[in-house]
């Protein structure tokens, strides 16, 4: 069952060690539908990670509330899986063992089932040959792919992804964009996807949230309509794609 | 590139060894330094062969190694247990920190004569000194291993709602092992140092005892031979522990 997310005026003010207040994020109002793919784009420091961590229950919300399904967020939720900005693989576990860690902790699936799924997803991301290697033996991009597999193996109902593909080359990124869209279309997982890349956001999303810095805020929402649920490479050549990129860019410039 | 690099390393190593030996021979041949201070290399080699290969020092080698290894084990076990307790009990850690710091900075070898007076000339005081010296490298790394965990990894486990026990099992425990294991070779060398120092304060057997007796008799070649033997023993222990713990180290 895909879940919805209701962000009701959630804001974040950090109080630093020197007692200065950093307004990282102005109140955000945003409803994300079950099964929606929503991207957040914006320059560095505009509060993307902060918003994602608050949804994940990893960061206290200064004011307002966030609801995931029927649950008000006060702590992490096992139905929500996070792909962090860094791969965050445990160095003493092999790639496959890392991918099976969520299931060791949450026991949501049988070990055999989780293993079969992990191997299938590692194959899909070109990592099957590396499943018994340690993270240090893989490139940064390969590690990040493994982290995505790890998040998917736990079959989350909500997937929060913080710039998961920013360390990848253009070709791998486009490939994985298509795979992610395929997976999302099939599983109907609600995805909140943070990126710096407007093209990537337009390609993947049902909606794009445009964020702006100083103070960090959600400025505009762009609907991406007219594309099939499962996005394919041809979309990147379509006029509609370029039009949406231009529209997003314009929304972003209007915020400065 | 790497092959040439290896040749370079071998060259530097062999060159330095030859240089040291040549300087030694030259100093002895020129009679620049009294034989009582610097014996001839051949005399040292003879003393080494008699002591080690003819088995004269065999018992002493065994005694010193026994003290060092027992001290390493005792100090190591205590260090890991106390380190783990301290890691999980912040109040205890902060409250006892001044004592730990005082104990750490204190030159522990200085209490060897006192320990000898209390416990006699046997094994116990040597093991205690060796254990005290072996304790700190392992203790410091145990504490760091449990506490200095990548915050991103803590976030990851929190996001899965891992229990404290799961966090210990999958994150803090293995992280601690990765910190503790590399401290073993330093700790073992410290234990050897502690054992020798305690023997010098008073002993009936052991390589420290041999050094003291031979120095007293003016048998400088034997003293040099024991020093050489200690250098080799330290190296052997370091290699042995490196080999023994290879499987425990992360691939990184
Ligand atoms: N722990 C913290 N203490 C104080 N300020 C913080 C903390 N974490 C983030 N901030 C501030 O909050 C603001 C938003 O940070 P955030 O990490 O959410 O940005 P971001 O949009 O994810 O940037 P990037 O694209 O570089 O990852 C920044 O100005 C940052 O300095
Ligand atoms: Mg960020």
């Amino acid at each position: 069952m895909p879940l919805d997310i209701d962000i009701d005026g959630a804001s974040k003010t950090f109080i630093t060690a020197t007692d200065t207040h950093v307004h990282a994020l102005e109140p955000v109002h945003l409803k994300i539908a079950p099964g929606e793919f929503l991207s957040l784009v914006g320059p560095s420091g505009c509060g993307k990670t902060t918003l994602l961590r608050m949804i994940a229950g990893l960061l206290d919300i200064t004011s307002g509330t966030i609801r995931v399904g029927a649950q008000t967020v006060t702590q992490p939720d096992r139905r929500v899986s996070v792909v962090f900005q860094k791969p965050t693989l445990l160095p003493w576990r092999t790639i496959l063992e890392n991918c099976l860690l969520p299931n060791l902790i949450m026991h949501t699936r049988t070990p055999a089932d989780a293993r079969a799924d992990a191997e299938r997803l590692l194959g899909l991301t070109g990592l099957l040959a590396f499943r018994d290697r340690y993270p240090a033996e893989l490139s940064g991009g390969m590690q990040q792919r493994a982290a995505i597999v790890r998040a998917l193996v736990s079959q989350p109902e909500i997937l929060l992804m913080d710039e998961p593909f920013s360390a990848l080359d253009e070709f791998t990124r486009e490939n994985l964009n298509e795979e992610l869209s395929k997976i999302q279309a099939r599983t109907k997982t609600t995805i909140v996807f943070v990126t710096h890349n407007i093209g990537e956001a337009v390609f993947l999303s049902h909606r794009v949230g445009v964020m702006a810095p100083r103070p960090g805020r959600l400025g505009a929402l762009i609907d991406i309509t007219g594309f099939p649920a499962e996005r394919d490479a041809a979309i990147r050549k379509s006029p509609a794609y370029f039009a949406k990129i231009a529209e997003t860019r314009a929304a972003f410039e209007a915020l400065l | 590139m790497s092959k040439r690099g290896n040749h370079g390393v071998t060259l530097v190593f062999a060159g330095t060894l030859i240089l040291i030996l040549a300087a030694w021979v030259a100093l002895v041949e020129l009679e620049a330094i009294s034989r009582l201070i610097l014996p001839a290399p051949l005399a040292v080699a003879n003393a080494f062969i008699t002591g080690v290969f003819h088995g004269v020092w065999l018992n002493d080698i065994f005694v010193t190694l026994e003290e060092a290894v027992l001290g390493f084990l005792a100090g190591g076990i205590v260090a890991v247990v106390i380190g783990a307790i301290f890691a999980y009990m912040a109040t205890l850690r902060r409250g006892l920190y001044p004592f730990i710091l005082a104990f750490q900075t204190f030159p522990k070898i200085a209490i060897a004569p006192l320990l000898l007076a209390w416990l006699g000339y046997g094994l116990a005081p040597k093991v205690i000194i060796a254990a005290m010296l072996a304790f700190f490298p392992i203790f410091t790394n145990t504490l760091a291993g449990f506490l200095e965990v990548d915050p991103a990894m803590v976030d990851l486990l929190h996001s899965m709602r891992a229990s404290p026990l799961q966090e210990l099992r999958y994150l803090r425990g293995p992280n601690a092992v990765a910190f503790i294991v590399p401290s073993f070779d330093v700790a073992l060398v410290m234990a050897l140092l502690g054992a020798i120092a305690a023997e010098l304060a008073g002993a009936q057997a052991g390589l420290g005892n041999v050094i003291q007796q031979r120095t007293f008799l003016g048998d400088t070649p034997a003293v040099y031979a024991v020093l050489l033997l200690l250098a080799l023993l330290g190296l052997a222990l370091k290699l042995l522990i490196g080999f023994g713990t290879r499987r425990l180290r992360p691939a990184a």
Side-chain angles (χ1 to χ4, degrees):
Chain A
M1 253 296 284
L3 297 172
D4 69 321
I5 303 170
D6 185 356
I7 303 167
D8 187 10
S11 77
K12 183 69 198 180
T13 304
F14 287 103
I15 300 168
T16 62
T18 53
D19 223 27
T20 46
H21 291 226
V22 181
H23 296 284
L25 196 62
E26 298 279 276
V28 172
H29 297 271
L30 178 62
K31 284 187 191 336
I32 304 166
E36 181 172 359
F37 196 126
L38 179 115
S39 289
L40 296 170
V41 288
S44 186
C46 68
K48 304 182 296 294
T49 298
T50 303
L51 182 56
L52 217 60
R53 284 170 55 83
M54 290 198 298
I55 301 172
L58 291 169
L59 192 66
D60 287 335
I61 304 164
T62 305
S63 70
T65 54
I66 298 177
R67 185 177 53 71
V68 165
Q71 203 86 41
T72 301
V73 175
T74 53
Q75 57 181 351
D77 186 324
R78 287 193 163 175
R79 299 167 302 175
V80 178
S81 195
V82 188
V83 177
F84 295 92
Q85 212 163 341
K86 290 189 298 173
T88 326
L89 301 170
L90 303 181
W92 47 82
R93 297 180 82 87
T94 63
I95 296 301
L96 182 63
E97 287 168 350
N98 264 290
C99 293
L100 295 176
L101 180 71
N103 203 54
L104 280 183
I105 288 174
M106 306 194 283
H107 305 290
T108 40
R109 319 174 67 173
T110 66
D113 193 21
R115 194 191 166 93
D117 202 25
E119 290 186 339
R120 185 183 63 80
L121 288 162
L122 285 172
L124 209 62
T125 49
L127 290 175
L128 197 56
F130 297 91
R131 65 182 167 183
D132 297 321
R133 301 283 198 87
Y134 288 90
E137 301 173 84
L138 272 63
S139 75
M142 292 159 93
Q143 292 180 26
Q144 191 61 313
R145 277 183 269 161
I148 293 164
V149 171
R150 175 179 61 195
L152 291 173
V153 171
S154 59
Q155 293 182 315
E157 277 144 52
I158 293 179
L159 191 54
L160 306 175
M161 308 178 85
D162 196 352
E163 298 184 38
F165 303 139
S166 60
L168 302 181
D169 64 278
E170 200 61 25
F171 301 104
T172 313
R173 175 207 287 263
E174 290 187 354
N175 260 326
L176 287 180
N177 280 172
E178 287 150 34
E179 288 306 334
L180 182 62
S181 179
K182 216 183 283 179
I183 289 166
Q184 204 270 338
R186 206 181 54 237
T187 59
K188 294 279 184 277
T189 309
T190 310
I191 298 184
V192 182
F193 186 96
V194 166
T195 176
H196 284 138
N197 187 316
I198 295 176
E200 181 176 61
V202 167
F203 179 81
L204 284 167
S205 313
H206 302 127
R207 265 193 308 166
V208 177
V210 180
M211 296 182 68
R214 282 174 300 271
R217 62 199 190 278
L218 177 64
L221 283 162
I222 315 272
D223 282 310
I224 313 288
T225 47
F227 294 145
E230 209 173 291
R231 312 282 159 102
D232 57 58
I235 287 175
R236 291 198 193 88
K237 300 197 188 87
S238 71
Y241 173 72
F242 291 111
K244 281 299 170 189
I245 289 179
E247 188 184 339
T248 309
R249 207 176 286 278
F252 177 64
E253 278 158 9
L255 288 171
L256 293 179
Chain B
M1 162 67 211
S2 93
K3 227 178 164 183
R4 278 184 79 159
N6 278 339
H7 282 311
V9 170
T10 315
L11 208 70
V12 170
F13 175 78
T16 308
L17 197 64
I18 289 169
L19 216 67
I20 290 171
L21 284 174
W24 187 358
V25 171
L27 282 171
V28 170
E29 288 302 314
L30 293 171
E31 305 203 342
I33 298 176
S34 152
R35 294 269 165 117
L36 276 178
I37 295 171
L38 189 70
L42 219 57
V44 173
N46 274 330
F48 190 88
I49 288 165
T50 318
V52 178
F53 296 115
H54 297 176
V56 178
W57 297 336
L58 222 55
N59 182 52
D60 299 290
I61 293 172
F62 177 77
V63 166
T64 300
L65 282 181
E66 187 186 20
E67 292 160 357
V69 170
L70 286 179
F72 167 75
L73 290 175
I77 290 168
V78 174
V80 169
V81 169
I82 296 187
I85 293 173
F86 271 30
Y88 275 89
M89 301 183 125
T91 314
L92 202 67
R93 178 172 74 244
R94 299 213 181 93
L96 294 182
Y97 186 71
F99 296 101
I100 297 285
L101 198 67
F103 183 39
Q104 182 169 23
T105 49
F106 181 78
K108 289 164 277 293
I109 292 168
I111 62 171
L114 209 56
L115 280 178
L116 282 152
W118 293 342
L119 301 169
Y121 287 84
L123 191 65
K126 282 87 177 180
V127 173
I128 292 174
I129 298 283
M132 285 197 298
L133 291 195
F135 175 83
F136 273 102
I138 300 181
F139 174 74
T140 318
N141 279 37
T142 304
L143 211 52
F146 280 112
L147 294 178
E148 282 169 32
V149 180
D150 184 347
M153 291 181 183
V154 177
D155 265 357
L156 174 73
L157 267 85
H158 281 177
S159 79
M160 302 175 200
R161 308 230 9 219
S163 67
L165 210 64
Q166 287 175 323
E167 194 176 304
L168 175 66
R169 175 166 171 201
Y170 294 116
L171 180 58
R172 292 190 191 270
N175 195 65
V177 171
F179 268 74
I180 293 168
V181 168
S183 71
F184 284 168
D185 56 9
V186 180
L188 198 52
V189 170
M190 291 300 280
L192 186 61
L193 169 68
I196 294 291
E199 282 173 4
L200 289 175
Q204 285 147 345
L207 291 171
N209 189 46
V210 176
I211 290 178
Q212 215 166 33
Q213 283 183 357
R214 295 289 124 184
T215 309
F216 185 70
L217 296 173
D219 185 0
T220 325
V223 176
Y224 272 66
V226 175
L227 295 180
L228 181 65
L229 176 60
L230 283 173
L232 294 176
L233 279 180
L235 212 60
L237 286 176
K238 194 176 149 75
L239 287 178
L240 211 65
I241 205 131
F243 189 74
T245 57
R246 212 173 33 175
R247 294 171 55 94
L248 284 173
R249 289 167 198 254

